[in-house]
Amino acid sequence: MQRLGPGGSLLLQAPPGAGKTTRVPLALLDGLTGCSGRILMLEPRRLAAKAAAQRLAAELGESVGERVGYRVRLESRVSAATRVEVLTDGLFLRQLQADPSLAGVDCVIFDEFHERRSEADLALALLREARALLAPELRLLVMSATLNLQPLQEQLSEASLLCSEGRSHPVDIVHQPPRDREPLAQQVLRALESHWIDQRSTAETVLVFLPGQREIQHCQEVLSRAPWSDGLEICPLHGNLPLNAQSRAIEASQGSEGKVVLATSIAESSLTIAGVTLVIDGGLSRRSRFDPSSGMESLVTVPASQASAEQRAGRAGRLGPGRAIRLWSPAEQQRRPAFDPPALLEADPAPLVLQLAQWGAGLGEDLPWLEPPPRPHLLEGKELLQQLGALSEQGQLSAHGRRISQVGLHPRLAQLLLKSQELGAPELGCALAALLSERDPLDPREAGCDLMRRLDWLQSPGRDPRRQAIQQLQAQLLRQIGAEKPSSATHDSAAIAAELVATAYPERVSLQRGGSPGRFLMRGGRGAELHPSDPLLSCEALAVARADGAGSNCRIQLALPLSRDTLLQMADAGGQEQSLVGWDPQAQRVRCERALQLGALVLERRPWPEAPAELLLEAMVEGLRELGIEALPWDPTSRQLQRRLILAHLQLGSPWPDRQDAALLADPLSWLADQLPGMRSREDLQGINLSEALWSGLEWSRRAELETLLPTRLAIPSGRQASLDYSSGAPVLAVKLQELFGAAQTPRVLEGRLPVTVHLLSPAGRPAAITQDLAGFWAGAYREVRRELRGRYPKHPWPDDPATALPTALTKRRLEQGQSQR
């Protein structure tokens, strides 16, 4: 007590087995003999809280409920004499919310804090704020075996640090890397056969760490088939087992051939499993991660951290020297992260945001966090709670939110229970809440994702331990909400169950997508899929309770068929009437309609003939941009004009506008503003007069000016007006070579600044030469062309000096004129 006086804070670090959980509370009890207040010790799980209370009471030679008691969800053993009370993080948070001053409490102990549980981090932040204002004499003790002390020491600068080496025994570490593609269960089997079978004793227990329930079940099947497993006691241990089954797992071996406990990370700390001298560590952990982009949690399997591996190995050294077999290499051990990240940074934020709102802390911006939760997660949680009606638009706790917080469950499940009471179906609501609080009791490969099959299974006869555990939880929930079990059902259970799920998981309400069975769109905008053989494949709408958030389309895991009437009722309460005017790329026309939407789901559409003209024009512009400039009714005349205007813009600049395709498409209204109004389809676009539209914005006088600058025809020596072609971007004059006899220089446009490209043709109209220097051509290359063509076309003139020669047609006309005069 010298290190933990009134108002003091102490950080206690000691290895597993040092007696933190079983010795420290009793030492504090002795040291606080002059105080009348209680000592609260927080444990991460119900089983850990009960086991710790039982050990402490046994040390005092008393029954649980005397000086030492416990409180866990729906179960309590305390009395007026209780001085040390062991409880879960969640119950402590409820107590703190109800009485921030913690009246009658002298000390709060955070046990196993290295796990960095979300509720423990929140509880510490709230407690520190409340203690400074309301309970300055309160003692605070944080205990852990592998605590990363740096962030806590930085925050609790006034706290003293106490480290204890404890009395743990040495543990011999052996690495057994997996063979090529060796399943995890086979690795465990090999480790047992190599390191335990020949030297086991009846009192010895092997603790095997596996990532999850699926791996535990598979490993149990593999071990039970081993020829040496007769008489071997194989016990699973995970958080979804009933408490009595968990208790059996931590008891001493009862089998004639020893005991193997297949456990998740629940056995890393806070639980003492009798007789463990060998630990086999699979090296994996399963963590829950929240994805703010999908609004969903997903379970991911990750390598266990170095600190976690040390904690697991330490379980073998509690009773004496032990051994730990790690199913990975020493090199991989060095690559693993030093510590697991705090759960607060990865967990579903909805319960956290509800607690913050209940505390009046907004999104916790001013709380003394060790590490603040990510703001995007908090905003996602806030949005969900607002959808549930638990928070106002300003983020304050509503009256409905206070009722949700009083239920003591996840906000979604609390919403479900409250709605079930409103609908007169509390038994059904509690059955759903119990099922959704646990892992799926059925194999989805056989049962699909239909939640009604789980409800039918729950009501069926038999002594399945899983069914009994969920039924027990259902009964506890019924008692918790003060509901009497009805004698008979008088309602449509399937329809009400779907409505309850939709109420608790509103953003997951899903509608079939594009008429494709098994493909859905969620209200929140995310895609969702069913397995191709799922019995709900043809449903039009689903109320989704559970989905895997990984991937671009989440996989639906538990759902119920949802009627259109229920969807419409939800839309009446929380939907939007949207006026939609936009381009339909399939129909290639503007679509004008009013739509009833529930989030991203469109439930009804009806035509909107009176849509405003400005919206129609915007949609038509959108459609033109999507179709491309080629969708307009171009002809040679309009394209010729476009090229001339482009050339004028490039050569002269203002006032000539840019009429290149990209510029026209970028701002269609700059040149089609007079022609697009009233149009609604690609077909309508064919009525546009492009030759007129291209002149948009230019004065009428510019037309004559353009004809002067960039004429469409040019007088040539033969006496005719030859066409100029601008399709290549520059003016091109294509004429027979003889028609330019007498032209000494290249024709030019743009007031003489731009030479015309001359395509000289043979008498048959075939290309003979291309030049922009006609004088140079006459003086040079003409002789070669003349030599080549004169033999083929002997009747046509081929003068030696074509620059001064008269063209053939003009000579002929002059001869004809002379003959008529005579």
Side-chain angles (χ1 to χ4, degrees):
M1 294 306 298
Q2 296 176 352
R3 304 291 294 272
L4 189 60
S9 300
L10 178 64
L11 310 179
L12 174 60
Q13 183 178 14
K20 299 184 300 299
T21 303
T22 56
R23 300 296 181 188
V24 171
L26 298 182
L28 285 172
L29 183 62
D30 290 339
L32 294 174
T33 52
C35 303
S36 60
R38 286 169 294 149
I39 299 169
L40 303 183
M41 182 164 71
L42 280 58
E43 293 293 339
R45 301 168 191 88
R46 291 179 294 163
L47 179 60
K50 293 181 67 172
Q54 290 165 354
R55 287 285 303 275
L56 291 169
E59 290 287 333
L60 294 175
E62 299 176 354
S63 298
V64 175
E66 296 182 42
R67 280 189 291 173
V68 177
Y70 68 81
R71 281 190 296 131
V72 297
R73 189 180 69 174
L74 305 177
E75 186 178 354
S76 175
R77 289 187 64 181
V78 295
S79 67
T82 300
R83 293 287 311 285
V84 177
E85 189 175 320
V86 189
L87 70 167
T88 55
D89 304 329
L91 284 186
F92 174 74
L93 274 171
R94 295 188 68 184
Q95 180 175 344
L96 184 61
Q97 291 277 15
D99 178 17
S101 67
L102 290 179
V105 176
D106 283 332
C107 182
V108 176
I109 304 172
F110 285 80
D111 195 16
E112 308 296 351
F113 196 77
H114 68 277
E115 292 189 16
R116 298 300 301 277
R117 308 173 302 274
S118 179
E119 289 184 325
D121 266 30
L122 173 62
L124 182 60
L126 298 185
L127 179 62
R128 290 179 61 206
E129 183 177 70
R131 182 173 74 153
L133 299 172
L134 304 173
E137 298 296 306
L138 183 70
R139 295 171 171 87
L140 174 62
L141 174 59
V142 179
M143 304 193 303
S144 179
T146 57
L147 178 64
N148 179 10
L149 293 175
Q150 183 177 356
L152 193 57
Q153 282 183 296
E154 292 174 354
Q155 287 285 343
L156 287 169
S157 57
E158 75 283 3
S160 57
L161 174 63
L162 180 62
C163 295
S164 170
E165 294 300 325
R167 299 180 184 176
S168 58
H169 299 276
V171 176
D172 184 25
I173 305 293
V174 176
H175 287 269
Q176 178 191 287
R179 293 170 179 168
D180 185 39
R181 298 184 179 180
E182 185 179 21
L184 184 56
Q186 291 299 129
Q187 297 177 49
V188 173
L189 177 67
R190 181 160 60 92
L192 286 169
E193 292 177 341
S194 302
H195 299 279
W196 185 63
I197 293 301
D198 296 335
Q199 38 192 304
R200 58 179 162 169
S201 67
T202 57
E204 192 173 18
T205 296
V206 179
L207 176 57
V208 181
F209 283 100
L210 297 167
Q213 188 174 340
R214 182 176 63 252
E215 291 81 2
I216 287 175
Q217 182 178 355
H218 184 216
C219 192
Q220 189 172 7
E221 293 170 355
V222 169
L223 296 185
S224 63
R225 292 195 296 266
W228 42 262
S229 65
D230 291 342
L232 177 66
E233 188 179 0
I234 305 175
C235 294
L237 178 58
H238 52 79
N240 289 315
L241 284 174
L243 283 178
N244 56 356
Q246 295 184 35
S247 298
R248 284 196 301 271
I250 68 176
E251 293 172 352
S253 170
Q254 303 296 320
S256 61
E257 296 297 327
K259 180 178 182 179
V260 174
V261 177
L262 306 175
T264 61
S265 57
I266 188 177
E268 275 188 25
S269 58
S270 71
L271 293 179
T272 298
I273 301 176
V276 175
T277 58
L278 174 64
V279 166
I280 298 176
D281 188 355
L284 299 172
S285 294
R286 188 152 291 149
R287 299 181 63 86
S288 179
R289 286 184 180 169
F290 179 77
D291 179 3
S293 64
S294 66
M296 295 182 184
E297 270 192 313
S298 59
L299 290 173
V300 294
T301 303
V302 297
S305 66
Q306 295 181 25
S308 179
E310 289 301 316
Q311 183 81 355
R312 294 176 179 184
R315 311 305 286 179
R318 288 203 165 190
L319 304 177
R323 295 171 296 152
I325 314 299
R326 291 177 175 169
L327 305 183
W328 66 92
S329 68
E332 185 182 345
Q333 170 70 8
Q334 299 304 314
R335 293 192 295 268
R336 292 178 174 234
F339 297 93
D340 292 321
L344 194 71
L345 305 182
E346 300 179 326
D348 181 352
L352 172 62
V353 175
L354 184 66
Q355 291 277 2
L356 292 174
Q358 189 178 357
W359 191 258
L363 292 182
E365 297 90 341
D366 299 323
L367 285 179
W369 301 104
L370 296 185
E371 289 153 286
R375 185 167 178 79
H377 290 202
L378 296 176
L379 292 173
E380 188 76 26
K382 178 181 177 181
E383 182 179 350
L384 170 63
L385 292 175
Q386 287 173 330
Q387 286 185 350
L388 297 179
L391 297 183
S392 67
E393 291 185 4
Q394 293 74 32
Q396 296 174 338
L397 196 67
S398 65
H400 182 63
R402 281 190 289 274
R403 289 194 294 272
I404 285 179
S405 65
Q406 290 165 2
V407 175
L409 295 174
H410 189 286
R412 293 187 187 273
L413 298 182
Q415 172 90 341
L416 189 152
L417 290 182
L418 293 175
K419 185 67 175 180
S420 71
Q421 287 183 292
E422 179 186 323
L423 296 177
E427 182 189 10
L428 177 60
C430 290
L432 280 170
L435 282 166
L436 296 174
S437 297
E438 308 293 340
R439 288 187 181 268
D440 190 351
L442 303 183
D443 186 346
R445 292 171 296 184
E446 299 176 0
C449 72
D450 190 353
L451 197 46
M452 280 306 298
R453 293 194 178 189
R454 278 76 178 169
L455 288 168
D456 293 340
W457 169 86
L458 186 61
Q459 296 171 2
S460 59
R463 300 184 58 82
D464 187 321
R466 296 172 301 170
R467 183 186 295 113
Q468 291 176 330
I470 296 176
Q471 287 173 339
Q472 181 182 6
L473 178 56
Q474 178 190 7
Q476 290 171 337
L477 291 173
L478 278 166
R479 291 195 300 271
Q480 183 175 342
I481 63 176
E484 294 293 332
K485 181 177 178 180
S487 57
S488 62
T490 59
H491 46 253
D492 184 349
S493 296
I496 290 183
E499 184 176 351
L500 292 176
V501 170
T503 301
Y505 302 88
E507 82 286 3
R508 299 184 192 174
V509 169
S510 302
L511 196 62
Q512 196 178 90
R513 203 173 197 173
S516 302
R519 297 182 68 245
F520 293 83
L521 178 66
M522 288 185 167
R523 176 181 178 178
R526 189 170 176 79
E529 294 179 346
L530 285 172
H531 190 275
S533 62
D534 197 277
L536 300 182
L537 201 69
S538 60
C539 291
E540 180 186 11
L542 294 176
V544 178
R546 191 174 294 167
D548 180 3
S552 57
N553 284 322
C554 62
R555 178 58 63 90
I556 298 172
Q557 297 172 331
L558 288 176
L560 287 164
L562 193 64
S563 70
R564 176 164 284 274
D565 287 344
T566 302
L567 276 177
L568 293 175
Q569 290 173 9
M570 294 182 69
D572 287 341
Q576 309 85 32
E577 182 85 6
Q578 297 283 355
S579 299
L580 305 175
V581 177
W583 181 257
D584 185 338
Q586 293 184 333
Q588 294 193 341
R589 64 176 298 110
V590 174
R591 183 179 293 277
C592 307
E593 59 190 17
R594 287 193 179 274
L596 177 62
Q597 287 188 232
L598 185 62
L601 308 181
V602 179
L603 306 183
E604 289 182 347
R605 296 181 187 271
R606 60 180 184 274
W608 187 26
E610 63 275 12
E614 59 270 17
L615 296 182
L616 293 171
L617 184 59
E618 289 177 10
M620 201 64 214
V621 168
E622 175 193 351
L624 177 57
R625 288 198 177 109
E626 184 170 317
L627 293 170
I629 204 73
E630 297 80 10
L632 295 174
W634 295 101
D635 59 21
T637 301
S638 55
R639 279 297 190 188
Q640 179 85 327
L641 175 58
Q642 180 194 18
R643 302 306 178 196
R644 293 164 66 208
L645 289 169
I646 291 173
L647 190 56
H649 171 75
L650 295 175
Q651 294 290 329
L652 303 175
S654 180
W656 304 103
D658 186 358
R659 292 302 193 223
Q660 297 179 83
D661 285 356
L664 295 178
L665 201 58
D667 188 9
L669 292 180
S670 67
W671 63 292
L672 290 175
D674 295 335
Q675 306 215 32
L676 282 180
M679 294 188 173
R680 294 197 175 198
S681 67
R682 179 171 186 160
E683 184 179 357
D684 290 346
L685 291 175
Q686 305 313 303
I688 292 177
N689 185 337
L690 290 176
S691 294
E692 281 301 316
L694 289 168
W695 285 110
S696 179
L698 289 170
E699 297 176 0
W700 188 266
S701 60
R702 298 295 180 187
R703 304 188 184 207
E705 183 180 353
L706 184 67
E707 188 61 34
T708 301
L709 294 171
L710 296 170
T712 56
R713 293 182 174 277
L714 198 65
I716 57 176
S718 67
R720 74 181 180 92
Q721 295 287 320
S723 297
L724 283 177
D725 181 14
Y726 291 86
S727 60
S728 66
V732 173
L733 176 65
V735 295
K736 293 180 180 179
L737 188 147
Q738 281 79 10
E739 288 193 89
L740 289 185
F741 289 167
Q745 297 296 327
T746 304
R748 305 179 80 85
V749 294
L750 281 177
E751 299 177 335
R753 281 178 287 183
L754 184 66
V756 173
T757 301
V758 180
H759 288 210
L760 296 165
L761 309 178
S762 70
R766 297 188 181 92
I770 298 175
T771 184
Q772 283 189 332
D773 180 10
L774 193 59
F777 173 76
W778 295 141
Y782 168 72
R783 290 179 174 77
E784 182 66 27
V785 172
R786 175 179 178 238
R787 183 169 51 253
E788 181 181 344
L789 296 180
R790 186 166 56 178
R792 278 191 264 168
Y793 306 101
K795 295 182 179 181
H796 291 75
W798 301 99
D800 292 332
D801 185 7
T804 59
L806 292 174
T808 304
L810 182 57
T811 303
K812 183 177 181 181
R813 284 200 299 273
R814 285 183 176 177
L815 289 174
E816 291 174 349
Q817 291 172 357
Q819 290 173 354
S820 64
Q821 290 173 356
R822 284 195 297 270

